Amino acid sequence: MTVDGSARAFRQHGRVVVVGASLAGLRAAETLREEGFVGALTMIGDEPSEPYDRPPLSKQVLLGKVPADGTALPRRRALDAEWRLGVAATGLDLTGKRVRLADGQEVGFDRLLIATGTRARPWPRETEADLDGVFVLRTADDAARLERRLAARPRRVLVIGAGFTGSEVASACRERGLEVTVAERGPAPLVGALGGVIGAVAAELQREHGVDLRCGIMVTALEGDPAGRLKRAHLSDGTTLDVDVAVIALGAMRNTEWLAGSGLGAGPRGVACDAGCRAFDVHGIVTDDIFVAGDVARSPHPLFGYQFLSLEHWGNALAQAEVAAHNMISSGPDRRPHLWVPAFWSAQFGVNIKSVGVPPMGEELIVTQGSLAERRFAAAYGHQGRVIAAVTFDHARWIDFYREQIESAAPFPPVFANVDRRPEGLRPVGADFPDPALPTHGPTVTLSGYSPSERRVTFTPARA
Amino acid sequence: MTATSGTLLHQITDYANRADPYPLYAELRRTPVARQDDGVYTVSTYWEILSLLHDPRISSDVRNRTPQAGGDLPPEDDTTLPPSFLRLDPPEHDRLRRLATRPFGPPHSPRRIHDMGGDLVRMVSGLIDGFQGREQVDIVEDFAYPFPVMVICKLLGVPHQDEVLFHGWADAIVAALDPSPAEGPQERQRTAQRARTELGTYLAGLVEEHRRAPGDDMLSALITDHGPDGQMSPVELITTAVLLLIAGHETTVNLITNGTLTLLRHPEALKRLREDPDLAVPLVEELLRYEPPVQLLPQRTALADIDIAGTVIPAGASIWLMLASGNRDPRRFDDPDRFDPGRRDNEHLGFGSGIHYCFGAPLARLEAQLALTGLARRLDGPRLVADPPPYRQNPVLRGPRHLPVAFDGVTA
Ligand SMILES: Cc1cc2nc3c(=O)[nH]c(=O)nc-3n(C[C@H](O)[C@H](O)[C@H](O)COP(=O)(O)OP(=O)(O)OC[C@H]3O[C@@H](n4cnc5c(N)ncnc54)[C@H](O)[C@@H]3O)c2cc1C
C-alpha cells in the first residue's frame, strides 16, 4: 500500500481523539496502532471501566455464570493511549477542533472518531422509572444490579418489550427458574427485526419454556408501594400484574446529544456518515476529519439501495471501527468503504439465532432448510426478486452461504435443490413485518472480494 | 472456464508423489475449480473450498451422485449397516450428530474431554517410558498408533484387551477409503467389508454388555441417555460406534506422526516446544494447516448447478475438496509453505468446516498437543532415520507408514 506524504506525516505526528471507549472505540484504536499510527491517541469514555463486551450481559451474566465485571474485551495489542475514563464528552467545537469534557477540560485533535454508541431507552415516566425494582440493561452496572436482584429470587419478573434484549432477559429468567411475564406491543416477539412468521416461532419458543407471553399489549403504568418499591403493573387490556421486578427493554437511543449545535449531521437516528465512515455536517457535506463507527453511526450501504442503515450489531461495530481507523490514517484512493453485510446473533431459550442482511427489507420469506415446526431452520428473505436477508435457528453453520447469496444479489425465491429442503420450503410466504418498507425500483449492486482491501462493488443497472 | 488437468490429479493420487504433494497442489490451484478427465471437479483454493463446505447445494450422501459423475467411491457401508453421519445430509445427519454429541461435548457434556486430560498424560508418559533402553523407535507403531487407540477405547468403553482385535479391522477399513488403490480394489473392498461386518458384530456385543452394566463411557451414555431427539436405533448406534472408532484414531495417528516428522525437520521449532509447552496450542493448529491428516474430501456431490470461480459445477457431479491445497493457498495465508508454529491468523481447513466439521477436533487437538510436547520434552537428541519416511498408500488420510527415529536417551 502506498502512503502519500500527508498521510505519512499524520501517522507520525497526528493527534487522534476517540470518544466512546467501548467495542468500536477500542478496536479502532487498536487498528490505528496496527496500521502504523504512532501519534498521540486519547480515549475518552464516560464509563469508569475499561472497555468491555456487552452481549454476555444479557446472557451469561444474567445467568450468574460470569460476573458483570468479567467481560472485559480482550486486548489485541498495547495501545499507548491516554485514557480519560469516567468523564463524558459534552461538546464538540468543529472549527477549533476540540472536544469539551464534563470536567471542564478540552482536548484538541486533528482527527476525531465518534463511537458513543447507544443507551437504553428509559421508561418514559420518571417517577415510575425510579421505583426500586425497575431496571434497564445496557451497561455492566445495569447487568450487575439486575443479576443481584434475580439471584434474590423475585416472585415474578415483568419484561417490557420482546425484542432481542427483552427475549434474552426472559430466557435467562426462565433458566433461573423465575416466573416471567413478557409484555409486547407488537403481535409477536422479535417481530420488528425478523417479521411475523419468525416471530410466531419465537412466541411458541417462549411459551414452551414457560414464559407468560402477552402480545398486542402495552404496560400503561408501573405502581410502587409507599416505600418506593415496584409492586404492580397495569396493562392496556385493563388487567394488573403483581411484580417486584420490571425490565424495560424498549430499545436504544443514540448518544448524540453531546454533538448538538456542533454543526455535525447528528440526531436521534445517529450520526450520518459516508461509506468511508466520514461524518456529514448539517448541510450533508462530508467532513474529512470527523469519523464515526459503531451503534451511533448511520451509513449508506450499496447493497441495500444506498439506504442509511443504523445497526446495533456487535460485528458491525467491529468492522466499521476497523474501516474508520484505516481511513483516518489513509488518504484518497487508499481509503476503503465499509461494505460489511449486517449480521447479528442471539441466544435464547437454548436456540442459537443468526441473521444476515436486512430482514425488515424483505417482503417475502422462504424456509430453505429445515422446518419452522422443529425450530431448526434457515429462511431467506426476498426483496424485489432477490435475496436480501436470511435468518437461521440452530443452523448457524450455513449462514455464510446466505451471506454470499445476499452479496451476489441471488434471485429470490431460490430455485435450486439443496439438502434438508422440506415441502414448506417450496413456496415463499409474506414475511409479515408490521410496517413493510415501500418497494422502490433501484439498480442492483453486488459485492465481491474476500479481504478488506479487495472488497468491491459491482454496479449492474438492472436485473432482467 | 473449465480446464482439464487429469494427469495432475493422477499425479497427486500417485503413490510416487505421496511424500510431497504440495508442489502439485500449487499447480492445481492455478485452476481453482477444475474438471478432471473422469468428470470429477477438484476445488483447490481456500475461499472456494470454504464456500462449498457451507453450501447447502452440496451433498455428502453419495447416493445423490449420477453414475457418470466419476470419482468412484467405495461405499463405506455394506449391506448390513447404513451410512454414518459423516456420509449423510441433514436432517438425518443433524439428528445423529446431535445424538452423538450429547455424551461427547458441550452443552451436555462440556467436561468429557477436559476430564480425560490426566489419563492422556499418563498414556503418553507410559508409552515414552517404554522407549527406555532403546536407541531407535518407530514413532508410528510404538507411539502415534497405540496412543489414540487407547484413548478411543477408554472414551467409548472398549475393554483394553480387545484393542488388538480391531487393529486389523481398522487397517482393512481404512485401506478401502483410498480412492485410487494401487492394486486389487475388489479384493480390498471385500476385505474391508468383512472387517466392517466383524467390527459391527463385535460392537453389537459390546452394546449389549453396556446396556446391562453401563459405565462412565460414551457408549453407555449413548445407550442409556434420553434427549429431545430420543435415542439412536441399535443399528445407528453400531454405525456411529464404527465411525467414532475408525475416525477417532486413524486421523490422529497421522497428525502425531506428521507432527513429529515436521518437528524433526524444524529443529528450532522442536527446541521452542521443549522450552515452552504452551507453544503446543498454536503449533498443532499450524500442523493442521501445514500437514493436515485429511488431505482431501472426495465424497461431495452437487445437488444443483453451482456457479463458482467462473466455473459451473453441474448437478450430480462429484466434487473433491482439496483441503491440504487450500491450506497452502497464498491468497489466504502469508508465506503458506513456511511452517510457522506461532502463526496467528490460522483458520485452516484441517478439520474441514461447516456441518461436517471434525466431530473429534477437541480430542484430536489435545492428543496431538500432549503427544508432541511429551516427545519434545523427553527424547534426547532425536533425529530422523529416513527422510522422507515410507508413506502409507492412502492419499486421503495421508501420513508416514513408519517413522523410524533415533535418539540418545530418554529424559525421565
Ligand atoms: C445486553 C446487550 C446484549 C447484546 N447482545 C448482542 C448480540 O447477541 N449480538 C450482537 O450482534 N449485538 C449484541 N449487542 C449489541 C452490541 O453490544 C453493540 O452493537 C456494541 O456494543 C456497539 O458498540 P459501540 O462501541 O458502537 O457502542 P457501545 O458499546 O454502546 O459503546 C459506546 C460507549 O461510549 C460511551 N459514551 C456515550 N456517550 C459518551 C460521551 N458523550 N462521552 C464519552 N463516552 C460516551 C458509552 O458509555 C459507551 O461506553 C448487545 C447489546 C447489549 C446492551
Side-chain angles (χ1 to χ4, degrees):
Chain A
M1 182 180 53
T2 55
V3 179
D4 75 9
S6 64
R8 195 173 312 120
F10 182 77
R11 284 172 187 218
Q12 292 300 319
H13 311 292
R15 291 174 305 162
V16 169
V17 169
V18 176
V19 182
S22 184
L23 179 63
L26 176 68
R27 288 300 178 239
E30 287 174 335
T31 306
L32 285 169
R33 291 300 192 213
E34 248 156 48
E35 297 199 5
F37 175 70
V38 294
L41 178 61
T42 309
M43 307 286 296
I44 299 167
D46 62 359
E47 292 187 80
S49 47
E50 300 265 304
Y52 61 88
D53 214 10
R54 294 176 206 276
L57 299 181
S58 53
K59 306 173 181 83
Q60 294 89 331
V61 172
L62 281 197
L63 287 173
K65 289 183 179 163
V66 170
D69 58 7
T71 73
L73 283 163
R75 297 295 183 89
R76 290 185 184 167
R77 50 167 299 132
L79 267 192
D80 185 23
E82 187 189 340
W83 292 84
R84 311 282 291 259
L85 295 178
V87 55
T90 51
L92 168 64
D93 174 358
L94 261 191
T95 27
K97 292 202 166 184
R98 316 182 70 77
V99 173
R100 278 191 294 280
L101 302 185
D103 61 8
Q105 298 196 25
E106 298 196 338
V107 188
F109 61 83
D110 299 315
R111 281 183 195 154
L112 169 71
L113 178 69
I114 297 169
T116 45
T118 59
R119 64 182 182 278
R121 183 183 301 282
W123 184 243
R125 261 172 307 216
E126 249 174 70
T127 46
E128 294 179 15
D130 286 345
L131 289 171
D132 177 46
V134 177
F135 297 86
V136 293
L137 181 55
R138 177 80 202 172
T139 66
D141 276 352
D142 296 338
R145 276 194 293 269
L146 180 55
E147 198 281 325
R148 225 174 300 131
R149 191 59 68 93
L150 296 184
R153 307 207 64 77
R155 274 166 309 151
R156 177 167 292 275
V157 177
L158 168 65
V159 177
I160 308 178
F164 280 102
T165 305
S167 299
E168 288 180 10
V169 171
S171 169
C173 289
R174 287 309 297 148
E175 204 170 326
R176 299 186 77 138
L178 300 171
E179 295 300 320
V180 56
T181 298
V182 172
E184 163 61 45
R185 180 163 58 168
L190 310 184
V191 75
L194 298 175
V197 176
I198 304 301
V201 180
E204 227 178 81
L205 192 63
Q206 295 208 0
R207 295 206 164 102
E208 212 165 90
H209 281 82
V211 174
D212 168 30
L213 172 67
R214 308 195 188 180
C215 296
I217 264 193
M218 279 161 52
V219 175
T220 50
L222 295 173
E223 183 190 333
D225 66 10
R229 285 181 305 236
L230 173 68
K231 70 168 189 196
R232 191 169 295 134
H234 296 262
L235 308 181
S236 57
D237 63 356
T239 59
T240 60
L241 202 67
D242 289 339
V243 290
D244 28 26
V245 172
V247 183
I248 315 300
L250 295 173
M253 295 162 71
R254 295 183 155 71
N255 291 320
T256 52
E257 291 78 359
W258 68 283
L259 296 167
S262 67
L264 275 192
R269 296 174 69 187
V271 184
C273 61
D274 74 354
C277 306
R278 295 177 298 180
F280 288 125
D281 69 11
V282 282
H283 308 292
I285 296 175
V286 79
T287 59
D288 218 25
D289 299 315
I290 315 290
F291 291 75
V292 198
D295 282 11
V296 77
R298 271 184 84 212
S299 65
H301 202 304
L303 260 193
F304 305 98
Y306 296 95
Q307 274 193 48
F308 277 75
L309 300 178
S310 311
L311 301 169
E312 294 171 45
H313 304 346
W314 190 93
N316 181 65
L318 193 76
Q320 204 167 17
E322 287 172 358
V323 172
H326 171 86
N327 290 347
M328 285 176 95
I329 53 169
S330 309
S331 50
D334 290 337
R335 289 187 171 165
R336 290 179 194 148
H338 173 55
L339 292 176
W340 190 75
V341 175
F344 69 86
W345 81 97
S346 171
Q348 44 184 281
F349 305 103
V351 174
N352 173 311
I353 301 176
K354 281 203 174 182
S355 150
V356 279
V358 184
M361 278 181 82
E363 296 106 30
E364 289 184 304
L365 172 143
I366 186 165
V367 180
T368 45
Q369 290 176 258
S371 98
L372 297 180
E374 289 167 25
R375 289 198 296 269
R376 271 190 260 270
F377 61 86
Y381 293 81
H383 170 69
Q384 294 175 20
R386 54 176 281 204
V387 177
I388 201 81
V391 60
T392 61
F393 273 44
D394 279 345
H395 257 45
R397 288 207 153 129
W398 299 109
I399 204 81
D400 285 346
F401 171 76
Y402 292 96
R403 185 178 42 72
E404 284 168 24
Q405 294 274 299
I406 298 163
E407 288 181 352
S408 58
F412 181 93
V415 290
F416 48 77
N418 60 254
V419 297
D420 209 6
R421 195 92 176 239
R422 315 284 179 85
E424 71 183 277
L426 300 176
R427 297 235 325 267
V429 296
D432 194 15
F433 281 96
D435 179 22
L438 284 177
T440 53
H441 288 276
T444 301
V445 147
T446 58
L447 295 190
S448 61
Y450 292 110
S451 70
S453 58
E454 51 178 39
R455 290 293 268 173
R456 290 285 175 274
V457 170
T458 310
F459 188 88
T460 320
R463 191 179 267 285
Chain B
M1 188 201 64
T2 299
T4 41
S5 44
T7 39
L8 192 51
L9 188 62
H10 200 82
Q11 276 176 279
I12 289 169
T13 51
D14 183 353
Y15 183 69
N17 293 310
R18 192 72 71 249
D20 186 14
Y22 295 102
L24 296 169
Y25 292 144
E27 223 174 305
L28 193 61
R29 278 194 302 272
R30 290 214 292 243
T31 316
V33 180
R35 186 180 186 277
Q36 306 293 329
D37 289 344
D38 62 352
V40 168
Y41 283 77
T42 51
V43 183
S44 53
T45 42
Y46 181 89
W47 297 112
E48 281 65 34
I49 295 170
L50 191 66
S51 149
L52 291 183
L53 284 168
H54 291 261
D55 194 321
R57 297 168 298 180
I58 302 281
S59 168
S60 294
D61 191 333
V62 280
R63 291 171 295 191
N64 286 316
R65 188 166 295 176
T66 55
Q68 66 277 13
D72 284 336
L73 265 191
E76 174 199 50
D77 36 312
D78 55 34
T79 43
T80 51
L81 289 181
S84 69
F85 62 77
L86 186 65
R87 295 192 170 203
L88 286 175
D89 292 331
E92 296 83 7
H93 162 274
D94 294 357
R95 181 180 61 88
L96 287 172
R97 183 162 164 139
R98 274 199 305 273
L99 284 167
T101 302
R102 270 179 76 84
F104 182 69
H108 298 284
S109 315
R111 299 188 60 84
R112 168 85 68 185
I113 298 306
H114 178 269
D115 289 349
M116 288 184 77
D119 283 331
L120 265 55
V121 170
R122 275 189 292 282
M123 292 175 195
V124 167
S125 8
L127 287 167
I128 300 180
D129 286 345
F131 297 180
Q132 307 265 16
R134 298 173 63 181
E135 286 163 3
Q136 183 177 323
V137 293
D138 177 358
I139 289 295
V140 178
E141 294 289 334
D142 297 324
F143 187 68
Y145 188 85
F147 173 43
V149 172
M150 284 196 246
V151 176
I152 197 74
C153 285
K154 170 104 190 157
L155 182 70
L156 286 179
V158 173
H160 190 73
Q161 65 273 17
D162 291 351
E163 279 171 28
V164 277
L165 270 178
F166 63 79
H167 192 149
W169 293 330
D171 266 356
I173 292 168
V174 171
L177 290 178
D178 184 348
S180 58
E183 78 282 327
Q186 248 106 47
E187 180 52 32
R188 204 181 284 259
Q189 281 316 312
R190 269 193 299 275
T191 319
Q193 222 164 70
R194 213 177 311 121
R196 191 173 292 279
T197 311
E198 282 170 18
L199 180 56
T201 314
Y202 167 78
L203 285 169
L206 203 60
V207 163
E208 264 328 295
E209 277 172 39
H210 283 66
R211 196 187 305 279
R212 268 182 270 116
D216 185 27
D217 52 81
M218 249 183 93
L219 265 190
S220 297
L222 285 174
I223 296 160
T224 54
D225 184 36
H226 282 269
D229 289 300
Q231 278 192 308
M232 289 187 189
S233 71
V235 65
E236 286 168 346
L237 194 65
I238 291 166
T239 321
T240 306
V242 172
L243 172 71
L244 298 181
L245 207 68
I246 303 295
H249 71 276
E250 282 302 328
T251 45
T252 320
V253 179
N254 290 334
L255 182 57
I256 295 172
T257 314
N258 290 338
T260 311
L261 176 62
T262 304
L263 283 174
L264 292 174
R265 284 173 176 171
H266 296 83
E268 56 323 323
L270 182 65
K271 188 159 162 284
R272 274 178 70 190
L273 179 62
R274 189 193 267 262
E275 284 155 12
D276 174 17
D278 288 346
L279 183 67
V281 173
L283 183 140
V284 165
E285 292 316 297
E286 176 69 344
L287 272 176
L288 285 157
R289 184 193 71 81
Y290 184 78
E291 287 276 23
V294 179
Q295 295 264 304
L296 50 116
L297 299 175
Q299 85 221 26
R300 297 296 202 273
T301 301
L303 294 178
D305 292 353
I306 298 169
D307 189 341
I308 182 162
T311 298
V312 175
I313 303 178
S318 158
I319 304 172
W320 287 24
L321 300 175
M322 313 298 285
L323 302 180
S325 169
N327 278 353
R328 300 267 191 129
D329 184 344
R331 285 195 60 209
R332 177 59 186 83
F333 296 105
D334 289 336
D335 206 356
D337 291 323
R338 193 165 79 90
F339 177 68
D340 173 6
R343 191 181 285 270
R344 285 176 68 182
D345 174 24
N346 201 356
E347 276 171 49
H348 58 75
L349 301 170
F351 286 131
S353 188
I355 61 162
H356 292 282
Y357 180 85
C358 175
F359 178 82
L363 181 59
R365 284 192 163 107
L366 189 63
E367 287 179 87
Q369 288 160 8
L370 294 176
L372 295 174
T373 339
L375 288 180
R377 195 173 64 75
R378 297 190 56 197
L379 287 195
D380 293 335
R383 55 204 175 266
L384 290 172
V385 173
D387 193 4
Y391 269 78
R392 298 159 156 229
Q393 175 61 38
N394 201 322
V396 175
L397 295 170
R398 172 179 163 270
R401 177 67 193 89
H402 297 286
L403 186 66
V405 169
F407 48 87
D408 301 327
V410 178
T411 307

